[in-house]
Amino acid sequence: MKPFRDLPIQRKMLLMTLLICGVVLLVAIAALFSFQVLNFRISFQRDTATLAAIIAENTTAALAFKDPKAAADVVGSLQAKPTVVAASLVLPDGTVFAQFGNPESPADFSQFPPPGKFSFTGRHLLYTQPVELEKTCVGTLYLRSEYRQTLLELLSLYGLVTLGVFVTSVGVAVAFSGRIRRIITDPILRLSQVALAVGEQKDYSLRVPPSSGGDELGRLTQCFNEMLGRIQTQDTALSLSQQKLEALVHSIDGIVWECSPDSLQFTFVSRQCERLLGYQPEEWLANPHFWEEKLHPQDAAKALQTGREMIARRQPYCYEYRMIAADSRAVWIRESGVVLIENDRPAVVRGIFQDITAQKSAAEELDRLNKQLMETSRHAGMAEVATGVLHNVGNVLNSVNVSLTLLRDLLEKSEVASLSRVAEMLQAQAAQAANFLATHPKGKLIPGFIIQVAHQLEQEHRRFREQHQRLTRNVEHIKEIVAMQQNYANVSGIREAISIPALVDDALQIHTAGLERHGVRIVRDFSEVPPILVDKHKVLQILVNLIHNAKYALDASGRADRVLTVAIALNGDQRVKVSVRDNGIGIPPENLTRIFSLGFTTRKGGHGFGLHSGANAAKEMGGILKAHSEGPGQGATFTLELPILTGQTHS
């Protein structure tokens, strides 16, 4: 069957036509032969019976007059019938009265059938005919006729006629097959040739010449051309989608990559490696050990070990190390990857390299500022100030940490892993990508998914920029706090005339980040007051501590409308009062008398020396620090009163 399957369709059609015609002719010939044999047999029996009846009728007179000679003449007339081999006229007592042809023996007579019946034995037809006279049996006629030879002669004639009919029919079938081929197989061949050309050239603009008929072949040709049109449209769309996907991958703010989990040899690197590290993707892919060679010497061993451990866990991972750029810079890299499993083994690793050098620099700058702040505090000899300012810097650091956490969450929730799975799916269906994207349920979703991922990555990029700007602002804020603290530390212990509103603004500026993070609305109620003569470092420390306590009281209240009101006003002619009022958790009456005691605190993690030291500092400057609250849930007001410059005595 395989050689037949490999034959051209024209030969298949011809062979099938000849086979069908041959089978039909053979069936018809077999039926005709069977009919002719049956008809010949019936006719032969009928002729033999008729002949026997005639001979029997003509021998009745001879039998009646006992005239053997007359009977022999009648029986001998059978020689005119070539098919009759022998005939015997037998009397009722078994005596042979007359015969023709080969004599019959008594044993031969036993083979004959009963009167009026036929019997076929070998080559002959045997027939028994009773001879009656006035309804009385006066003898029996036994006829033996040659049957087979006559049949063979007839079949030979039929065979010659049938052979002629068969040859003529095959010739007619071959002639008509040629015309049918032009009508049926030629359109199929054209269709096959175009399909082959499309498969080899991937040219979906080819078309099959339309058929003039409106039959199935015509409709098939039309459908095939329409299918090519749709495939051409989808192929164009796929090409555009692939271009968009490639543009998207190469526009991500990071190096998208793929590597082997065993050798760590990279098989794909996006073009962002040129912008971030200064290397061409071709240069990276040409060297199997490129990544290892570009690792920072101090991080290489640990990075390789960590990478292999992460791959062995078969889970998404993220870790950081340094690489050497083309211009010899050390670039901090955060590697985020996902391990794809096939047949229970790591098949490929895909991920993204992101440049976090700016974040690392910001962290180093924060560390440097922290150390500088501690050094400045030590130089000023004011451990309390350093502790308070460090706490306030910590608030800003919390904001920095929040921003870093958001950046990490954005990286962990990034759609890069989903993009890798789409790339894997497209790679797995590369041989039939057009059909996959056009017909497969998942394939149809890929273009829309790519657009959605592009929007999400664009949003992620925007959020990265926002967080980076926020980090920059927070670092600048810390610098301002440190500079402010240095300014106050340099003049610690010296009394001077100052503007109290400016000092209050500085205290609020130190807490800006923490107040914003806790959702606190600040209300300034400043009246015009004269300058005061005080140690501004101590006043700042008192105000910073009061604002700090108010912030936590507001946060503990759980209120949505958190309000911090800072008021400046005169209290008589000789004093200026600064009030810090919140609508937080309030102070129970029994605690109002203990709140300024050393070591007393109601806040978890508190030390109980802030208000105590603040009250002592106010007293040293000739002022007073006091508190007021209507009770729990009613908020609290802390008031700092200080003498004004006029009439002030230097201590």
Side-chain angles (χ1 to χ4, degrees):
M1 288 299 294
K2 185 175 181 181
F4 178 78
R5 289 197 298 266
D6 296 338
L7 289 175
I9 191 171
Q10 291 180 338
R11 293 188 180 181
K12 287 181 181 178
M13 289 289 294
L14 177 59
L15 290 178
M16 290 297 295
T17 302
L18 295 178
L19 179 62
I20 293 172
C21 291
V23 170
V24 171
L25 285 173
L26 289 176
V27 172
I29 290 170
L32 180 61
F33 265 62
S34 299
F35 173 76
Q36 291 297 336
V37 170
L38 180 61
N39 185 56
F40 171 77
R41 182 168 178 165
I42 294 173
S43 298
F44 196 84
Q45 289 177 342
R46 184 172 60 250
D47 292 345
T48 300
T50 301
L51 182 61
I54 294 172
I55 297 299
E57 182 67 24
N58 292 333
T59 59
T60 54
L63 287 174
F65 293 102
K66 304 296 182 177
D67 186 358
K69 184 178 182 302
D73 292 338
V74 173
V75 173
S77 64
L78 291 174
Q79 64 181 348
K81 193 69 172 179
T83 59
V84 178
V85 176
S88 298
L89 182 63
V90 180
L91 296 176
D93 59 0
T95 302
V96 177
F97 188 71
Q99 63 181 9
F100 165 76
N102 298 326
E104 302 281 358
S105 66
D108 293 334
F109 287 129
S110 64
Q111 297 178 357
F112 280 80
K117 301 296 183 181
F118 295 93
S119 175
F120 290 91
T121 58
R123 301 173 54 184
H124 301 141
L125 171 65
L126 305 181
Y127 182 69
T128 304
Q129 174 67 41
V131 181
E132 295 180 349
L133 181 61
E134 296 180 354
K135 297 184 180 181
T136 300
C137 181
V138 295
T140 303
L141 178 64
Y142 296 96
L143 285 181
R144 183 184 293 271
S145 299
E146 179 67 38
Y147 170 76
R148 179 179 296 177
Q149 184 64 31
T150 306
L151 178 61
L152 290 177
E153 293 175 356
L154 181 63
L155 291 179
S156 298
L157 178 61
Y158 286 167
L160 292 174
V161 175
T162 301
L163 179 61
V165 172
F166 185 83
V167 172
T168 303
S169 299
V170 170
V172 173
V174 171
F176 275 99
S177 175
R179 296 186 60 83
I180 294 174
R181 182 190 63 195
R182 290 193 295 273
I183 298 174
I184 297 178
T185 61
D186 286 357
I188 296 177
L189 289 175
R190 290 195 297 269
L191 189 65
S192 174
Q193 291 168 357
V194 173
L196 183 62
V198 170
E200 293 177 349
Q201 304 172 15
K202 306 301 180 186
D203 183 3
Y204 301 109
S205 63
L206 298 177
R207 295 294 184 271
V208 182
S211 176
S212 58
D215 57 359
E216 290 83 353
L217 285 175
R219 291 195 294 272
L220 176 62
T221 300
Q222 181 181 359
C223 293
F224 184 78
N225 288 334
E226 292 176 356
M227 180 185 69
L228 287 177
R230 289 194 296 269
I231 293 176
Q232 183 180 11
T233 302
Q234 293 168 358
D235 183 66
T236 303
L238 176 60
S239 299
L240 293 175
S241 299
Q242 289 176 336
Q243 293 174 4
K244 290 181 180 178
L245 178 61
E246 182 178 356
L248 175 63
V249 169
H250 292 303
S251 65
I252 293 175
D253 189 18
I255 304 172
V256 179
W257 53 267
E258 177 183 273
C259 76
S260 168
D262 299 325
S263 62
L264 298 182
Q265 180 178 354
F266 284 73
T267 56
F268 174 78
V269 179
S270 68
R271 296 200 172 276
Q272 287 288 6
C273 66
E274 183 178 359
R275 183 180 67 84
L276 297 181
L277 296 174
Y279 301 116
Q280 295 289 338
E282 296 77 12
E283 177 185 5
W284 193 314
L285 298 177
N287 185 356
H289 306 289
F290 186 89
W291 176 73
E292 301 176 25
E293 295 173 357
K294 301 305 177 182
L295 290 173
H296 194 282
Q298 297 179 2
D299 298 345
K302 184 177 180 181
L304 285 170
Q305 180 182 358
T306 304
R308 295 191 183 279
E309 290 176 354
M310 295 294 187
I311 293 173
R313 294 177 185 174
R314 304 184 180 187
Q315 295 179 351
Y317 65 88
C318 181
Y319 69 106
E320 300 171 358
Y321 51 84
R322 286 171 293 176
M323 291 186 68
I324 304 300
D327 56 1
S328 301
R329 291 181 298 112
V331 179
W332 275 98
I333 296 294
R334 176 180 286 121
E335 177 181 333
S336 302
V338 59
V339 183
L340 303 181
I341 305 299
E342 289 183 2
N343 299 324
D344 199 32
R345 292 190 60 186
V348 68
V349 185
R350 294 193 179 105
I352 184 172
F353 293 148
Q354 291 188 302
D355 183 358
I356 59 170
T357 305
Q359 299 176 29
K360 286 290 185 179
S361 299
E364 291 175 359
E365 179 69 12
L366 289 175
D367 184 62
R368 186 187 67 79
L369 291 174
N370 184 45
K371 292 179 180 179
Q372 181 181 351
L373 180 60
M374 293 296 296
E375 186 66 22
T376 302
S377 297
R378 283 195 298 270
H379 289 167
M382 295 296 295
E384 276 190 76
V385 174
T387 302
V389 173
L390 284 174
H391 181 79
N392 295 318
V393 171
N395 288 329
V396 184
L397 289 177
N398 285 336
S399 298
V400 172
N401 187 52
V402 169
S403 296
L404 292 175
T405 301
L406 288 173
L407 288 173
R408 185 179 67 252
D409 291 340
L410 287 172
L411 290 173
E412 291 178 352
K413 297 176 181 178
S414 177
E415 290 294 336
V416 172
S418 300
L419 196 61
S420 297
R421 289 193 291 273
V422 172
E424 179 187 13
M425 190 180 302
L426 289 175
Q427 185 177 4
Q429 300 293 335
Q432 49 181 355
N435 185 53
F436 175 75
L437 291 174
T439 61
H440 196 279
K442 291 184 179 180
K444 293 179 179 179
L445 299 177
I446 287 180
F449 174 76
I450 291 174
I451 295 174
Q452 182 180 357
V453 169
H455 291 328
Q456 292 181 357
L457 290 176
E458 182 179 359
Q459 294 177 1
E460 288 180 7
H461 188 66
R462 176 176 52 78
R463 296 181 67 183
F464 280 145
R465 290 199 305 270
E466 293 175 356
Q467 294 303 323
H468 181 268
Q469 293 172 359
R470 183 170 295 176
L471 281 172
T472 303
R473 289 198 304 270
N474 286 330
V475 171
E476 293 298 323
H477 189 191
I478 291 174
K479 289 181 179 179
E480 292 173 3
I481 293 175
V482 172
M484 188 184 303
Q485 190 275 340
Q486 289 176 330
N487 179 54
Y488 287 105
N490 290 335
V491 296
S492 178
I494 300 177
R495 293 192 180 189
E496 59 182 321
I498 62 169
S499 170
I500 193 64
L503 197 61
V504 172
D505 280 334
D506 287 343
L508 290 172
Q509 176 66 21
I510 290 174
H511 281 291
T512 297
L515 293 172
E516 289 179 354
R517 182 164 57 86
H518 288 275
V520 178
R521 181 168 62 89
I522 301 173
V523 176
R524 289 177 171 82
D525 184 14
F526 294 177
S527 299
E528 186 174 349
V529 295
I532 58 176
L533 186 65
V534 292
D535 183 343
K536 67 178 182 180
H537 183 276
K538 291 182 178 179
V539 176
L540 177 67
Q541 183 63 28
I542 294 171
L543 294 174
V544 165
N545 186 59
L546 293 178
I547 296 171
H548 173 77
N549 291 341
K551 178 186 67 177
Y552 279 97
L554 289 166
D555 186 57
S557 69
R559 297 173 62 107
D561 56 333
R562 301 170 184 174
V563 180
L564 174 65
T565 302
V566 182
I568 301 175
L570 288 172
N571 186 17
D573 296 333
Q574 301 297 321
R575 288 182 177 272
V576 172
K577 65 176 182 179
V578 180
S579 300
V580 178
R581 183 170 66 252
D582 65 75
N583 61 344
I585 58 175
I587 304 173
E590 63 270 20
N591 290 340
L592 284 174
T593 57
R594 305 168 57 197
I595 200 168
F596 295 106
S597 300
L598 180 62
F600 179 82
T601 182
T602 58
R603 192 176 76 247
K604 184 178 180 180
H607 302 287
F609 60 81
L611 289 177
H612 174 74
S613 61
N616 289 339
K619 186 176 180 180
E620 291 173 1
M621 292 182 292
I624 186 173
L625 178 62
K626 56 186 178 180
H628 174 75
S629 176
E630 296 294 334
Q634 301 298 317
T637 302
F638 287 83
T639 303
L640 173 64
E641 293 185 4
L642 295 171
I644 60 177
L645 181 59
T646 303
Q648 178 65 47
T649 303
H650 293 260
S651 56

